Amino acid sequence: MRPYIICHMGTSIDGRLHPSRFTMPAQGISRDVLRGHYERVHDQFDADGWIVGRVTMNEMAKGKERSVKDAPTVERKAHVAARNGRKLAIGIDPSGRVHYGKDNVGGDHAVAVLGEGVSDAYLAELREDGVSYVFAGPKGDDLSRAMEEIALLFDVKKLVLEGGGRINGSFFKLKLIDEFSTLIHPAVDGVAGGQSIMDYDGPEGDRPGTGQSLRLTHCETLEGGMVWLRHAVEPAPV
């Protein structure tokens, strides 16, 4: 049984991800107030942890690669380090490119989701750092398996997915998202080709939302004109 997963994202009105590219807030509206809504809403979910992709996790972890000599050959099975009651910081990292240097990210216990092709030296580095890890199949793309294993090993009931767009798209394609929480900034990016909150990278014509529908469950205007939407994901009508 996998966890309940909420995809929680902030976006401009044109669906873009990066606040540094957004238009300025209107006169009298604080940028800090708008930015602060994200974490306040996030905390309301009372989740057991959060999920991001490799690029975001690498920026947050800030560890440095190091050489582990004489790393033993180990079976490709999950490694559970000392969680010590903390929430989970889960990084989707099929190729094993994130370096942690410690057992946590922002105080939450680090868990790497890997492909089975990562090196023994990299796994030894994670173990030395106190990082837990699970495997998502040979290529690291069996996210359903990884989520089920995390639920079992860590007694996880609810997780917050916080993209990149490609990670969000992959989860949606696999029907792993139960709910969308979207904070719409009163702003526009406006540049063609920018990353959006959902950027599924699959074959042409393959639509990640096939067989799924969204039902609006909450709509609220927050201070500064930000709009908070919540949508439940349901099976599409036949």
Side-chain angles (χ1 to χ4, degrees):
M1 189 72 176
R2 67 168 178 83
Y4 185 90
I5 297 177
I6 302 170
C7 182
H8 177 53
M9 300 298 294
T11 175
S12 60
I13 66 170
D14 53 340
R16 305 307 192 196
L17 276 181
H18 299 294
S20 63
R21 297 161 55 108
F22 292 178
T23 51
M24 294 288 292
Q27 182 70 32
I29 296 177
S30 167
R31 185 188 297 270
D32 290 338
V33 167
L34 294 175
R35 287 179 174 173
H37 288 315
Y38 186 88
E39 290 300 330
R40 283 193 292 273
V41 171
H42 178 282
D43 292 344
Q44 292 181 36
F45 297 134
D46 193 27
D48 300 301
W50 44 273
I51 308 166
V52 294
R54 176 189 63 80
V55 174
T56 302
M57 184 59 84
N58 205 43
E59 292 172 353
M60 298 176 73
K62 296 182 171 62
K64 294 183 179 180
E65 183 177 4
R66 65 181 189 276
S67 176
V68 178
K69 295 181 179 180
D70 302 320
T73 299
V74 294
E75 186 179 352
R76 284 348 187 219
K77 65 179 183 179
H79 168 74
V80 179
R83 179 182 180 182
N84 296 326
R86 294 170 292 180
K87 293 181 182 296
L88 303 183
I90 301 167
I92 309 298
D93 183 23
S95 300
R97 297 167 63 184
V98 177
H99 302 281
Y100 295 86
K102 55 186 181 300
D103 72 346
N104 71 90
V105 179
D108 296 328
H109 178 57
V111 180
V113 176
L114 308 170
E116 294 171 3
V118 298
S119 70
D120 291 313
Y122 180 72
L123 296 178
E125 177 185 320
L126 294 183
R127 293 194 299 273
E128 286 185 1
D129 289 341
V131 174
S132 296
Y133 55 80
V134 301
F135 291 96
K139 297 180 180 180
D141 57 0
D142 191 347
L143 298 174
S144 299
R145 165 185 161 183
M147 294 301 105
E148 290 174 0
E149 193 158 19
I150 286 172
L152 178 65
L153 294 173
F154 296 96
D155 190 27
V156 165
K157 301 295 190 296
K158 185 190 297 182
L159 293 171
V160 178
L161 172 65
E162 301 179 283
R166 289 190 176 185
I167 294 295
N168 292 344
S170 295
F171 270 75
F172 193 41
K173 170 66 176 178
L174 294 169
K175 296 182 170 59
L176 294 176
I177 295 176
D178 300 286
E179 179 181 345
F180 286 95
S181 166
T182 311
L183 292 169
I184 303 176
H185 288 249
V188 171
D189 179 322
V191 177
Q195 189 181 35
S196 72
I197 62 174
M198 188 69 62
D199 272 332
Y200 176 65
D201 188 21
E204 186 175 353
D206 186 9
R207 301 174 61 86
T210 299
Q212 303 178 83
S213 294
L214 303 187
R215 184 181 299 277
L216 181 67
T217 60
H218 180 86
C219 179
E220 181 181 353
T221 302
L222 307 178
E223 182 181 356
M226 179 176 284
V227 178
W228 178 26
L229 302 176
R230 295 181 74 170
H231 291 86
V233 181
E234 303 177 349
V238 178

